[in-house]
Amino acid sequence: SLGYMQWLLAKQGGEKERQPRLDRAEQYLERGREYKEIKRETFVAELDYGLARIAAERGDFNLAYRRYIEAVSAHFAQGVSHAPDGYTTSHFEGITPFILGRFDAYRRRVRELWERGQQEPDNQAASRVRDSVYSFVLNDFGEACLNYYLRSGDDGYLDKARTTLDEAWEKLNTRYPMISYNLNRLERWEAS
């Protein structure tokens, strides 16, 4: 929780204040992961999600990719529910305009880094990793918008969730399973 709170607070202030907060967030999340070495059955996927966010925001797409693969694999291996009361509850249950703004700032920062990477000549594998990480980020933001809609009832955020998730699915064409899952969640909410 301390890692997530520091990540949220990294929205405030300029770059000078953002980096130390990201550093503290990373330290808290890593400390939580260390507990798994003591107690093997400890579930740390949520910590890996947080570490993936930090790595993506810093432009370390390779580390972000590894972290989000670890997190997703752990969730599917554990059979964790991805329902609204599932593993993302702690990140989105009390979503406020401030938290949504933090997810938007995160999305914009990673998009800028992703676009910069698109201009560099590289191999197809590096491009696929960047696209996969950016789709992870878009899914995160889309999920934040969906949960803000569920909390506020503001249809504009349902539309924003749809647009964001569609962008991740159609433009990036990655295999991140949560995008498909969250698009399905949207369809269920729109049908009800």
Side-chain angles (χ1 to χ4, degrees):
S1 293
L2 288 172
Y4 181 60
M5 291 305 296
Q6 287 296 321
W7 181 81
L8 286 175
L9 293 172
K11 177 186 179 205
Q12 295 180 312
E15 186 65 25
K16 194 174 185 178
E17 293 175 32
R18 191 173 68 83
Q19 272 317 319
R21 288 208 188 266
L22 289 177
D23 291 344
R24 279 194 297 277
E26 183 178 35
Q27 288 170 344
Y28 289 133
L29 294 168
E30 286 290 357
R31 219 169 60 200
R33 280 196 107 271
E34 288 171 7
Y35 184 72
K36 185 169 181 73
E37 294 183 25
I38 298 167
K39 191 152 175 92
R40 288 304 229 182
E41 63 273 4
T42 302
F43 189 66
V44 295
E46 189 174 331
L47 303 175
D48 287 327
Y49 270 103
L51 291 165
R53 286 179 183 130
I54 292 166
E57 200 164 11
R58 288 179 171 157
D60 190 343
F61 287 94
N62 290 325
L63 179 58
Y65 182 80
R66 283 194 310 274
R67 292 296 193 180
Y68 103 72
I69 290 295
E70 289 168 358
V72 171
S73 298
H75 276 114
F76 285 119
Q78 290 287 323
V80 174
S81 170
H82 296 290
D85 59 347
Y87 76 95
T88 59
T89 299
S90 65
H91 291 203
F92 301 119
E93 70 183 340
I95 197 162
T96 63
F98 176 86
I99 294 171
L100 187 62
R102 175 61 178 113
F103 276 90
D104 189 35
Y106 156 63
R107 178 190 59 85
R108 285 184 281 115
R109 170 76 176 147
V110 176
R111 180 183 188 104
E112 176 186 308
L113 295 166
W114 174 78
E115 287 173 344
R116 204 177 301 158
Q118 298 296 88
Q119 298 167 4
E120 298 172 5
D122 60 13
N123 63 34
Q124 190 174 4
S127 179
R128 190 185 62 123
V129 166
R130 274 195 317 273
D131 289 353
S132 294
V133 169
Y134 186 49
S135 71
F136 162 78
V137 171
L138 289 175
N139 181 73
D140 241 3
F141 181 65
E143 195 166 1
C145 290
L146 174 59
N147 283 281
Y148 189 74
Y149 159 74
L150 294 174
R151 185 170 168 90
S152 70
D154 186 332
D155 288 333
Y157 288 97
L158 185 63
D159 295 338
K160 192 175 274 198
R162 160 82 56 204
T163 301
T164 301
L165 293 168
D166 281 343
E167 177 184 357
W169 184 257
E170 293 169 6
K171 283 186 181 176
L172 297 172
N173 196 24
T174 64
R175 296 184 190 125
Y176 183 46
M178 293 310 299
I179 297 167
S180 177
Y181 174 80
N182 283 320
L183 283 168
N184 186 290
R185 275 178 74 196
L186 273 173
E187 288 173 14
R188 286 193 314 246
W189 280 106
E190 290 171 338
S192 62

